[in-house]
Short mmCIF file of all heavy atoms in Angstrom, two decimals:
data_model
loop_
_atom_site.label_atom_id
_atom_site.label_comp_id
_atom_site.label_asym_id
_atom_site.label_seq_id
_atom_site.Cartn_x
_atom_site.Cartn_y
_atom_site.Cartn_z
N SER A 246 -81.86 -83.89 -36.96
CA SER A 246 -82.80 -85.01 -36.68
C SER A 246 -81.85 -86.30 -36.51
O SER A 246 -80.72 -86.34 -36.98
CB SER A 246 -83.68 -85.24 -37.82
OG SER A 246 -82.98 -85.62 -39.00
N VAL A 247 -82.48 -87.31 -35.97
CA VAL A 247 -81.61 -88.65 -35.76
C VAL A 247 -81.37 -89.15 -37.23
O VAL A 247 -80.22 -89.60 -37.44
CB VAL A 247 -82.57 -89.69 -34.97
CG1 VAL A 247 -81.87 -91.08 -35.07
CG2 VAL A 247 -82.74 -89.22 -33.58
N ALA A 248 -82.31 -89.06 -38.05
CA ALA A 248 -82.03 -89.54 -39.54
C ALA A 248 -80.85 -88.70 -40.11
O ALA A 248 -79.98 -89.34 -40.76
CB ALA A 248 -83.20 -89.36 -40.31
N LYS A 249 -80.80 -87.38 -39.96
CA LYS A 249 -79.69 -86.64 -40.47
C LYS A 249 -78.45 -87.01 -39.81
O LYS A 249 -77.36 -87.04 -40.44
CB LYS A 249 -80.05 -85.16 -40.28
CG LYS A 249 -79.00 -84.23 -40.78
CD LYS A 249 -78.81 -84.34 -42.27
CE LYS A 249 -77.81 -83.21 -42.81
NZ LYS A 249 -77.59 -83.37 -44.30
N LEU A 250 -78.36 -87.13 -38.49
CA LEU A 250 -77.18 -87.57 -37.73
C LEU A 250 -76.71 -88.96 -38.25
O LEU A 250 -75.49 -89.10 -38.39
CB LEU A 250 -77.49 -87.57 -36.28
CG LEU A 250 -77.65 -86.27 -35.61
CD1 LEU A 250 -78.25 -86.48 -34.14
CD2 LEU A 250 -76.42 -85.58 -35.41
N GLU A 251 -77.57 -89.79 -38.51
CA GLU A 251 -77.19 -91.13 -39.05
C GLU A 251 -76.47 -90.98 -40.35
O GLU A 251 -75.37 -91.52 -40.54
CB GLU A 251 -78.40 -92.03 -39.16
CG GLU A 251 -78.90 -92.53 -37.87
CD GLU A 251 -80.14 -93.45 -38.02
OE1 GLU A 251 -80.69 -93.56 -39.09
OE2 GLU A 251 -80.57 -94.13 -37.04
N LYS A 252 -76.97 -90.18 -41.19
CA LYS A 252 -76.47 -89.94 -42.59
C LYS A 252 -75.08 -89.24 -42.48
O LYS A 252 -74.27 -89.66 -43.21
CB LYS A 252 -77.34 -89.07 -43.42
CG LYS A 252 -76.90 -88.77 -44.75
CD LYS A 252 -77.90 -87.95 -45.67
CE LYS A 252 -77.43 -87.78 -46.99
NZ LYS A 252 -78.43 -87.06 -47.83
N LEU A 253 -74.92 -88.29 -41.51
CA LEU A 253 -73.66 -87.59 -41.49
C LEU A 253 -72.57 -88.55 -40.90
O LEU A 253 -71.37 -88.48 -41.22
CB LEU A 253 -73.87 -86.50 -40.46
CG LEU A 253 -74.60 -85.28 -40.97
CD1 LEU A 253 -75.02 -84.26 -40.02
CD2 LEU A 253 -73.86 -84.56 -42.12
N ILE A 254 -72.91 -89.45 -39.83
CA ILE A 254 -71.83 -90.14 -39.20
C ILE A 254 -71.59 -91.57 -39.83
O ILE A 254 -70.56 -92.15 -39.49
CB ILE A 254 -72.12 -90.32 -37.70
CG1 ILE A 254 -73.35 -91.16 -37.42
CG2 ILE A 254 -72.22 -88.88 -37.07
CD1 ILE A 254 -73.63 -91.39 -35.92
N TYR A 255 -72.46 -92.02 -40.64
CA TYR A 255 -72.25 -93.27 -41.28
C TYR A 255 -70.93 -93.23 -42.00
O TYR A 255 -70.57 -92.28 -42.63
CB TYR A 255 -73.41 -93.59 -42.27
CG TYR A 255 -73.33 -94.85 -42.97
CD1 TYR A 255 -73.79 -96.07 -42.46
CD2 TYR A 255 -72.91 -94.90 -44.25
CE1 TYR A 255 -73.59 -97.28 -42.97
CE2 TYR A 255 -72.68 -96.12 -45.01
CZ TYR A 255 -72.96 -97.28 -44.42
OH TYR A 255 -72.91 -98.47 -45.08
N PRO A 256 -70.08 -94.35 -42.03
CA PRO A 256 -70.40 -95.67 -41.50
C PRO A 256 -69.63 -95.93 -40.16
O PRO A 256 -69.12 -97.11 -40.05
CB PRO A 256 -69.94 -96.54 -42.50
CG PRO A 256 -68.57 -95.74 -43.10
CD PRO A 256 -68.93 -94.35 -42.90
N VAL A 257 -69.59 -95.04 -39.21
CA VAL A 257 -68.99 -95.33 -37.95
C VAL A 257 -69.65 -96.58 -37.20
O VAL A 257 -70.83 -96.90 -37.51
CB VAL A 257 -68.96 -94.17 -36.84
CG1 VAL A 257 -68.10 -93.01 -37.56
CG2 VAL A 257 -70.35 -93.70 -36.54
N GLY A 258 -68.96 -97.28 -36.48
CA GLY A 258 -69.60 -98.45 -35.76
C GLY A 258 -70.70 -97.98 -34.97
O GLY A 258 -70.74 -96.94 -34.24
N PHE A 259 -71.92 -98.78 -34.89
CA PHE A 259 -73.07 -98.60 -34.12
C PHE A 259 -73.65 -97.16 -34.33
O PHE A 259 -74.08 -96.53 -33.46
CB PHE A 259 -72.78 -98.89 -32.64
CG PHE A 259 -72.23 -100.20 -32.30
CD1 PHE A 259 -70.79 -100.39 -32.21
CD2 PHE A 259 -73.10 -101.17 -32.09
CE1 PHE A 259 -70.33 -101.59 -31.95
CE2 PHE A 259 -72.59 -102.53 -31.88
CZ PHE A 259 -71.14 -102.77 -31.76
N TYR A 260 -73.69 -96.80 -35.65
CA TYR A 260 -74.05 -95.43 -36.00
C TYR A 260 -75.48 -95.11 -35.58
O TYR A 260 -75.79 -93.96 -35.27
CB TYR A 260 -73.79 -95.12 -37.45
CG TYR A 260 -74.73 -95.68 -38.45
CD1 TYR A 260 -75.80 -95.19 -38.88
CD2 TYR A 260 -74.36 -97.00 -38.88
CE1 TYR A 260 -76.64 -95.75 -39.85
CE2 TYR A 260 -75.14 -97.61 -39.72
CZ TYR A 260 -76.37 -97.06 -40.36
OH TYR A 260 -77.21 -97.67 -41.22
N HIS A 261 -76.25 -96.16 -35.65
CA HIS A 261 -77.72 -95.90 -35.19
C HIS A 261 -77.88 -95.48 -33.77
O HIS A 261 -78.43 -94.46 -33.38
CB HIS A 261 -78.63 -97.18 -35.42
CG HIS A 261 -78.88 -97.56 -36.87
ND1 HIS A 261 -79.44 -96.70 -37.71
CD2 HIS A 261 -78.52 -98.80 -37.50
CE1 HIS A 261 -79.58 -97.31 -38.89
NE2 HIS A 261 -79.06 -98.51 -38.74
N ASP A 262 -77.08 -96.18 -32.85
CA ASP A 262 -77.08 -96.01 -31.43
C ASP A 262 -76.43 -94.63 -31.17
O ASP A 262 -76.95 -93.83 -30.37
CB ASP A 262 -76.36 -96.97 -30.63
CG ASP A 262 -77.03 -98.34 -30.69
OD1 ASP A 262 -78.39 -98.29 -30.81
OD2 ASP A 262 -76.48 -99.36 -30.46
N LYS A 263 -75.29 -94.29 -31.99
CA LYS A 263 -74.58 -93.03 -31.63
C LYS A 263 -75.43 -91.77 -32.03
O LYS A 263 -75.42 -90.86 -31.33
CB LYS A 263 -73.24 -93.10 -32.40
CG LYS A 263 -72.19 -94.15 -31.83
CD LYS A 263 -71.08 -94.26 -32.53
CE LYS A 263 -70.05 -95.32 -31.96
NZ LYS A 263 -68.77 -95.42 -32.75
N ALA A 264 -76.14 -91.96 -33.16
CA ALA A 264 -77.06 -90.90 -33.62
C ALA A 264 -78.12 -90.57 -32.51
O ALA A 264 -78.31 -89.36 -32.15
CB ALA A 264 -77.68 -91.17 -34.85
N ARG A 265 -78.65 -91.59 -31.91
CA ARG A 265 -79.70 -91.45 -30.83
C ARG A 265 -79.02 -90.80 -29.65
O ARG A 265 -79.66 -89.85 -29.08
CB ARG A 265 -80.32 -92.88 -30.50
CG ARG A 265 -81.24 -93.29 -31.50
CD ARG A 265 -82.10 -94.44 -30.94
NE ARG A 265 -81.19 -95.58 -30.69
CZ ARG A 265 -80.78 -96.07 -29.46
NH1 ARG A 265 -81.15 -95.26 -28.45
NH2 ARG A 265 -80.00 -97.06 -29.32
N HIS A 266 -77.78 -91.17 -29.33
CA HIS A 266 -77.05 -90.64 -28.10
C HIS A 266 -76.79 -89.10 -28.39
O HIS A 266 -77.03 -88.21 -27.48
CB HIS A 266 -75.85 -91.41 -27.91
CG HIS A 266 -75.98 -92.76 -27.39
ND1 HIS A 266 -77.10 -93.13 -26.59
CD2 HIS A 266 -75.31 -93.96 -27.63
CE1 HIS A 266 -77.03 -94.37 -26.33
NE2 HIS A 266 -76.05 -94.93 -26.89
N LEU A 267 -76.31 -88.79 -29.51
CA LEU A 267 -75.93 -87.46 -29.84
C LEU A 267 -77.21 -86.54 -29.86
O LEU A 267 -77.18 -85.38 -29.43
CB LEU A 267 -75.26 -87.39 -31.25
CG LEU A 267 -73.87 -87.98 -31.28
CD1 LEU A 267 -73.36 -87.94 -32.70
CD2 LEU A 267 -72.88 -87.12 -30.44
N LYS A 268 -78.28 -87.13 -30.31
CA LYS A 268 -79.50 -86.28 -30.39
C LYS A 268 -80.10 -85.93 -28.93
O LYS A 268 -80.49 -84.87 -28.65
CB LYS A 268 -80.72 -87.02 -31.10
CG LYS A 268 -81.94 -86.33 -31.23
CD LYS A 268 -81.84 -85.01 -32.02
CE LYS A 268 -83.15 -84.27 -32.11
NZ LYS A 268 -83.10 -83.02 -32.70
N ALA A 269 -79.91 -86.99 -28.09
CA ALA A 269 -80.33 -86.76 -26.72
C ALA A 269 -79.33 -85.85 -25.81
O ALA A 269 -79.77 -85.31 -24.81
CB ALA A 269 -80.57 -88.05 -25.98
N LEU A 270 -78.05 -85.83 -26.33
CA LEU A 270 -77.07 -85.19 -25.52
C LEU A 270 -77.40 -83.77 -25.03
O LEU A 270 -77.18 -83.46 -23.87
CB LEU A 270 -75.78 -85.25 -26.27
CG LEU A 270 -74.50 -84.75 -25.54
CD1 LEU A 270 -74.21 -85.40 -24.22
CD2 LEU A 270 -73.21 -84.82 -26.49
N PRO A 271 -77.79 -82.93 -25.95
CA PRO A 271 -78.01 -81.46 -25.43
C PRO A 271 -79.15 -81.44 -24.39
O PRO A 271 -78.94 -80.65 -23.41
CB PRO A 271 -78.51 -80.72 -26.74
CG PRO A 271 -77.94 -81.57 -27.91
CD PRO A 271 -78.03 -82.97 -27.41
N ASP A 272 -80.17 -82.11 -24.50
CA ASP A 272 -81.35 -82.16 -23.59
C ASP A 272 -80.75 -82.64 -22.16
O ASP A 272 -81.03 -82.13 -21.14
CB ASP A 272 -82.51 -82.78 -23.97
CG ASP A 272 -83.26 -82.13 -25.16
OD1 ASP A 272 -82.99 -80.90 -25.34
OD2 ASP A 272 -83.96 -82.87 -25.90
N VAL A 273 -80.13 -83.77 -22.13
CA VAL A 273 -79.56 -84.42 -20.91
C VAL A 273 -78.61 -83.43 -20.25
O VAL A 273 -78.63 -83.31 -19.12
CB VAL A 273 -78.95 -85.79 -21.25
CG1 VAL A 273 -78.40 -86.36 -19.87
CG2 VAL A 273 -80.01 -86.72 -21.73
N LEU A 274 -77.76 -82.85 -21.02
CA LEU A 274 -76.78 -81.73 -20.60
C LEU A 274 -77.42 -80.71 -19.88
O LEU A 274 -77.04 -80.21 -18.80
CB LEU A 274 -75.85 -81.32 -21.75
CG LEU A 274 -74.61 -80.51 -21.40
CD1 LEU A 274 -73.74 -81.30 -20.52
CD2 LEU A 274 -73.98 -80.04 -22.66
N ASP A 275 -78.54 -80.16 -20.43
CA ASP A 275 -79.25 -79.05 -19.89
C ASP A 275 -79.89 -79.63 -18.55
O ASP A 275 -79.86 -78.87 -17.49
CB ASP A 275 -80.38 -78.64 -20.79
CG ASP A 275 -79.86 -77.74 -21.89
OD1 ASP A 275 -78.72 -77.29 -21.79
OD2 ASP A 275 -80.61 -77.42 -22.85
N GLU A 276 -80.54 -80.78 -18.55
CA GLU A 276 -81.27 -81.19 -17.47
C GLU A 276 -80.41 -81.45 -16.20
O GLU A 276 -80.75 -81.27 -15.02
CB GLU A 276 -82.07 -82.55 -17.87
CG GLU A 276 -83.21 -82.30 -18.77
CD GLU A 276 -83.78 -83.52 -19.44
OE1 GLU A 276 -83.37 -84.63 -18.93
OE2 GLU A 276 -84.57 -83.55 -20.30
N LYS A 277 -79.33 -82.11 -16.43
CA LYS A 277 -78.51 -82.57 -15.37
C LYS A 277 -77.40 -81.58 -14.95
O LYS A 277 -77.06 -81.50 -13.77
CB LYS A 277 -77.72 -83.91 -15.73
CG LYS A 277 -78.54 -85.08 -15.87
CD LYS A 277 -77.83 -86.36 -16.22
CE LYS A 277 -78.76 -87.65 -16.24
NZ LYS A 277 -79.12 -87.96 -14.82
N PHE A 278 -76.81 -80.81 -15.92
CA PHE A 278 -75.80 -79.93 -15.54
C PHE A 278 -76.01 -78.50 -16.02
O PHE A 278 -75.00 -77.69 -16.18
CB PHE A 278 -74.50 -80.51 -16.25
CG PHE A 278 -74.18 -81.89 -15.81
CD1 PHE A 278 -74.43 -82.94 -16.71
CD2 PHE A 278 -73.77 -82.19 -14.48
CE1 PHE A 278 -74.20 -84.33 -16.34
CE2 PHE A 278 -73.54 -83.51 -14.05
CZ PHE A 278 -73.73 -84.47 -15.03
N GLY A 279 -77.20 -78.02 -16.32
CA GLY A 279 -77.45 -76.67 -16.77
C GLY A 279 -76.83 -76.27 -18.02
O GLY A 279 -76.52 -75.12 -18.18
N GLY A 280 -76.51 -77.19 -18.86
CA GLY A 280 -76.01 -76.83 -20.14
C GLY A 280 -74.46 -76.79 -20.18
O GLY A 280 -73.76 -76.53 -21.12
N VAL A 281 -73.85 -76.96 -19.01
CA VAL A 281 -72.34 -76.94 -18.96
C VAL A 281 -71.78 -78.30 -18.83
O VAL A 281 -72.03 -79.13 -17.99
CB VAL A 281 -72.08 -76.09 -17.60
CG1 VAL A 281 -70.42 -76.03 -17.49
CG2 VAL A 281 -72.63 -74.70 -17.68
N LEU A 282 -70.86 -78.57 -19.75
CA LEU A 282 -70.26 -79.92 -19.86
C LEU A 282 -69.41 -80.05 -18.52
O LEU A 282 -68.43 -79.30 -18.22
CB LEU A 282 -69.31 -79.98 -21.05
CG LEU A 282 -68.77 -81.42 -21.33
CD1 LEU A 282 -69.99 -82.36 -21.74
CD2 LEU A 282 -67.72 -81.38 -22.42
N PRO A 283 -69.64 -81.04 -17.79
CA PRO A 283 -68.79 -81.37 -16.54
C PRO A 283 -67.47 -81.87 -16.83
O PRO A 283 -67.24 -82.41 -17.98
CB PRO A 283 -69.63 -82.58 -15.83
CG PRO A 283 -70.41 -83.25 -16.87
CD PRO A 283 -70.64 -82.18 -18.00
N ASN A 284 -66.54 -81.80 -15.91
CA ASN A 284 -65.19 -82.18 -16.19
C ASN A 284 -64.70 -83.35 -15.19
O ASN A 284 -63.50 -83.51 -15.06
CB ASN A 284 -64.23 -81.00 -15.99
CG ASN A 284 -64.18 -80.46 -14.58
OD1 ASN A 284 -64.79 -80.93 -13.73
ND2 ASN A 284 -63.47 -79.33 -14.42
N THR A 285 -65.64 -84.13 -14.74
CA THR A 285 -65.29 -85.32 -14.00
C THR A 285 -65.75 -86.54 -14.67
O THR A 285 -66.79 -86.55 -15.33
CB THR A 285 -65.87 -85.17 -12.54
OG1 THR A 285 -67.23 -85.43 -12.67
CG2 THR A 285 -65.52 -83.99 -11.79
N VAL A 286 -65.10 -87.68 -14.50
CA VAL A 286 -65.44 -88.94 -15.19
C VAL A 286 -66.86 -89.33 -14.72
O VAL A 286 -67.63 -89.73 -15.50
CB VAL A 286 -64.41 -89.94 -14.86
CG1 VAL A 286 -64.81 -91.33 -15.24
CG2 VAL A 286 -62.99 -89.67 -15.45
N GLU A 287 -67.06 -89.37 -13.37
CA GLU A 287 -68.33 -89.77 -12.97
C GLU A 287 -69.43 -89.00 -13.51
O GLU A 287 -70.58 -89.58 -13.89
CB GLU A 287 -68.33 -89.69 -11.35
CG GLU A 287 -67.50 -90.72 -10.68
CD GLU A 287 -65.90 -90.42 -10.89
OE1 GLU A 287 -65.59 -89.17 -11.10
OE2 GLU A 287 -65.00 -91.24 -10.74
N GLU A 288 -69.43 -87.68 -13.52
CA GLU A 288 -70.46 -86.80 -14.12
C GLU A 288 -70.75 -87.05 -15.56
O GLU A 288 -71.79 -87.22 -16.07
CB GLU A 288 -70.26 -85.32 -13.74
CG GLU A 288 -70.47 -84.99 -12.26
CD GLU A 288 -70.13 -83.64 -12.09
OE1 GLU A 288 -69.03 -83.10 -12.55
OE2 GLU A 288 -70.91 -82.93 -11.37
N LEU A 289 -69.63 -87.15 -16.31
CA LEU A 289 -69.62 -87.35 -17.65
C LEU A 289 -70.34 -88.69 -18.08
O LEU A 289 -71.06 -88.78 -19.08
CB LEU A 289 -68.23 -87.34 -18.40
CG LEU A 289 -67.65 -85.92 -18.51
CD1 LEU A 289 -66.10 -86.02 -18.81
CD2 LEU A 289 -68.33 -85.09 -19.63
N CYS A 290 -70.21 -89.74 -17.27
CA CYS A 290 -70.72 -90.98 -17.41
C CYS A 290 -72.22 -90.92 -17.30
O CYS A 290 -72.99 -91.91 -17.59
CB CYS A 290 -70.17 -91.95 -16.46
SG CYS A 290 -68.48 -92.55 -16.95
N GLU A 291 -72.90 -89.86 -16.86
CA GLU A 291 -74.28 -89.70 -16.72
C GLU A 291 -74.84 -89.23 -18.11
O GLU A 291 -76.10 -89.15 -18.27
CB GLU A 291 -74.72 -88.56 -15.69
CG GLU A 291 -74.33 -89.14 -14.29
CD GLU A 291 -74.77 -88.02 -13.10
OE1 GLU A 291 -75.94 -87.58 -13.43
OE2 GLU A 291 -74.01 -87.90 -12.25
#
């Protein structure tokens, strides 16, 4: 969960935002790249 992620990564900078980004990462990776991490700068920035 986002709450669990926040607890795990605290006190890194902007940990609230980073927890939300990490929570969303798997779904966005599936939607945009079929679950495969891209290896170009432009695609990773998505």
Side-chain angles (χ1 to χ4, degrees):
S246 67
V247 172
K249 180 63 173 178
L250 287 167
E251 288 180 347
K252 183 177 180 180
L253 289 169
I254 68 175
Y255 179 83
V257 300
F259 303 95
Y260 70 96
H261 292 298
D262 292 335
K263 291 176 182 179
R265 287 190 294 102
H266 293 322
L267 291 173
K268 180 62 179 176
L270 182 57
D272 289 341
V273 177
L274 189 61
D275 281 349
E276 293 167 7
K277 290 182 176 289
F278 304 108
V281 178
L282 189 68
N284 63 3
T285 70
V286 171
E287 290 71 24
E288 289 177 315
L289 285 166
C290 284
E291 296 183 40

